[in-house]
Amino acid sequence: MSEATGTAAARPGEVLSEAGAEALVHGICFKTGPPRLLGVELEWLVHDLEDPRTTVTAERLEAAHAALPGLPVRSLLTAEPGGQIELSSRPAASLTECVETMRADLATVRSMLAAQGLTLAGMGLDPWQAPRRFLREPRYDAMERSLDRAGPAGRTMMCTSASVQVNLDAGYEEPGPLGHVRRWRMSHLLGAVLLAAFAHSPVAERRATGWRSTRQLRWAEIGAGRAGGPPLDAEPRAAWTRHALDAELMCRRRTVGPWEVPDGTTFRDWLRRGAASGQGPRREDLEYHLTTLFPPVRPRGFLELRMLDAQPGDDGWIVPLAVAAALFDDLAATETAFRAVKPLAERCGPLPAPHNPLWTGAARHALADPELREAAAVCFAAALEALPRLGAGAAVIDAVGEFAERYVARGRCPADDLLDALRQGKELS
């Protein structure tokens, strides 16, 4: 994404001081510049092609994953702990480039899976299967042990959840509608609206949970330190730096044997103890620690929007990607969207996302919430006006328009379709 501005460097292998760690996080979390690149990361559940309720055996998953490295795709292909498949696009210079590349890569993956009797399923949470870990690696063993301390939600997140993650440039250093401070704030207010509009995980282990986005609920249950964001009223770089260093360590990596899972030790604690002992963390330890934090908006130089459930259909993911791109990167659309979502800040109270009333209401009620429905209607209309200016093709514009008519205008979201099917005894899809 955009180039960094003034990063304080620490050489790999060099023990970090507390001040050095703060400077490093402060320098790399928001790489500012003109918004020009876009990316998307798609997580998919893997189901049996004929009967999605059938448990896919570890042997079938292993065979499918073994074929991934040889596929001729441009996206990065990885496997998730429960056997999910993730495709991460390269940064694209336009929405059209991002969509076309990802669609081609998905067709390649689907063809390989179909030959093995498998298919990709776009749901935020598997409605049939209980969490079952497929990958057995030291990092996932450590993650599971760490997250288990907060309850069973961590295993659900690891093994039965899937998402659409949209990656956007942080924005300009200078103030203004496309500046990084405004975009950071808007991502946390508009993020709740997008969560509501695209909620698609109301069922777990064949029962309705009472939440339109149970996936987001499970993320919140992991805890504010691991899956929460920093206070929204503070300067973004300083707030994220404090949050990251004061977050508890998930693990300490080892080259041999199980990874250590400390209890109640923050990264700042490690820095301070290391200063006295000479056994402190290094740059690579800090960089890894940052990957173990899962807020709904994660600053990775760019902004990673992580609140979106996986979407139904082969191309359902295109709609949240297009809407986010339009509302963040078109000047007129971003002004309209910010005015629409700014009043929602009153519902946040003192708690950061996703542990405040705004985000809780979005996950539970989605667009049945009148304020979220009203904001979504304004934002989708602005996105539809902006998409032609971004060079979007007719198919993308039509997909956004159809989604707005089918769901937003009616105060519904994809989760409502699943709930209707469950009530009528129909097969979930």
Side-chain angles (χ1 to χ4, degrees):
M1 309 298 275
S2 297
E3 297 299 320
T5 59
T7 299
R11 292 187 298 272
E14 178 182 311
V15 175
L16 287 172
S17 65
E18 186 173 351
E22 289 176 344
L24 186 59
V25 178
H26 192 278
I28 66 176
C29 59
F30 293 90
K31 297 178 182 178
T32 53
R36 59 187 179 87
L37 297 177
L38 177 70
V40 67
E41 301 174 39
L42 304 179
E43 294 174 337
W44 299 86
L45 303 172
V46 178
H47 283 168
D48 182 87
L49 185 60
E50 298 298 327
D51 185 358
R53 297 165 296 183
T54 299
T55 299
V56 178
T57 64
E59 291 75 18
R60 295 179 72 190
L61 284 174
E62 185 174 355
H65 290 176
L68 296 179
L71 294 178
V73 298
R74 291 184 59 189
S75 302
L76 176 65
L77 277 171
T78 54
E80 294 297 299
Q84 310 99 308
I85 290 176
E86 179 175 342
L87 292 88
S88 303
S89 75
R90 308 298 180 184
S94 69
L95 173 61
T96 297
E97 177 189 338
C98 189
V99 169
E100 290 181 351
T101 301
M102 183 57 77
R103 287 185 75 177
D105 288 350
L106 281 168
T108 299
V109 174
R110 287 194 178 98
S111 178
M112 178 275 290
L113 290 175
Q116 301 189 38
L118 299 171
T119 187
L120 297 176
M123 297 178 176
L125 201 69
D126 196 308
W128 298 288
Q129 307 300 325
R132 174 184 60 117
R133 189 151 61 92
F134 166 68
L135 294 183
R136 294 290 169 180
E137 299 176 5
R139 60 173 173 165
Y140 294 130
D141 293 343
M143 178 183 288
E144 184 175 271
R145 283 155 50 208
S146 176
L147 295 178
D148 277 351
R149 292 170 177 163
R155 296 194 181 205
T156 299
M157 175 276 292
M158 291 175 65
C159 300
T160 58
S161 71
S163 69
V164 174
Q165 299 175 12
V166 179
N167 299 330
L168 303 154
D169 276 322
Y172 288 100
E173 184 69 22
E174 299 78 13
L178 299 181
H180 76 281
V181 174
R182 166 77 78 83
R183 287 162 74 85
W184 175 250
R185 182 170 180 78
M186 190 170 89
S187 67
H188 287 81
L189 298 176
L190 178 59
V193 177
L194 297 178
L195 163 63
F198 297 107
H200 189 222
S201 52
V203 179
E205 298 185 48
R206 304 173 186 255
R207 295 184 179 182
T209 65
W211 294 72
R212 298 312 204 281
S213 180
T214 310
R215 172 186 165 274
Q216 183 58 61
L217 169 65
R218 298 294 178 248
W219 274 111
E221 289 174 339
I222 291 171
R226 184 68 54 203
L232 195 55
D233 57 357
E235 193 280 322
R237 282 194 178 96
W240 176 251
T241 299
R242 286 192 299 270
H243 178 78
L245 296 187
D246 290 334
E248 292 186 6
L249 293 170
M250 175 174 282
C251 58
R252 286 195 184 102
R253 295 174 294 173
R254 291 174 173 169
T255 55
V256 178
W259 291 6
E260 181 185 356
V261 181
D263 188 3
T265 300
T266 68
F267 198 89
R268 197 182 300 277
D269 292 335
W270 191 10
L271 288 165
R272 292 177 176 176
R273 294 170 187 170
S277 67
Q279 301 296 315
R282 291 160 170 77
R283 175 174 179 150
E284 50 268 36
D285 295 313
L286 176 55
E287 291 173 343
Y288 183 80
H289 171 67
L290 295 176
T291 70
T292 69
L293 305 179
F294 309 112
V297 182
R298 185 163 64 178
R300 297 175 56 194
F302 52 91
L303 300 180
E304 183 183 69
L305 307 187
R306 300 174 51 85
M307 74 290 297
L308 303 167
D309 284 351
Q311 295 298 289
D314 289 352
D315 293 333
W317 57 272
I318 293 175
V319 178
L321 172 64
V323 170
L327 296 180
F328 277 89
D329 290 351
D330 180 86
L331 183 58
T334 199
E335 286 280 34
T336 299
F338 188 69
R339 288 195 299 269
V341 302
K342 189 176 180 180
L344 298 175
E346 297 180 4
R347 292 178 56 178
C348 293
L351 297 176
H355 298 91
N356 60 48
L358 174 63
W359 279 72
T360 300
R364 182 187 288 274
H365 304 295
L367 296 189
D369 180 303
E371 287 184 294
L372 291 171
R373 177 181 179 178
E374 180 180 357
V378 173
C379 289
F380 269 76
L384 283 166
E385 290 183 4
L387 285 171
R389 296 193 291 267
L390 295 181
V396 171
I397 296 171
D398 288 347
V400 174
E402 290 168 4
F403 187 98
E405 181 178 349
R406 177 175 179 176
Y407 296 114
V408 179
R410 301 176 184 180
R412 290 174 60 87
C413 63
D416 291 307
D417 292 345
L418 291 180
L419 291 172
D420 287 348
L422 188 67
R423 284 190 289 266
Q424 297 167 14
K426 297 179 180 179
E427 183 174 320
L428 304 181
S429 61

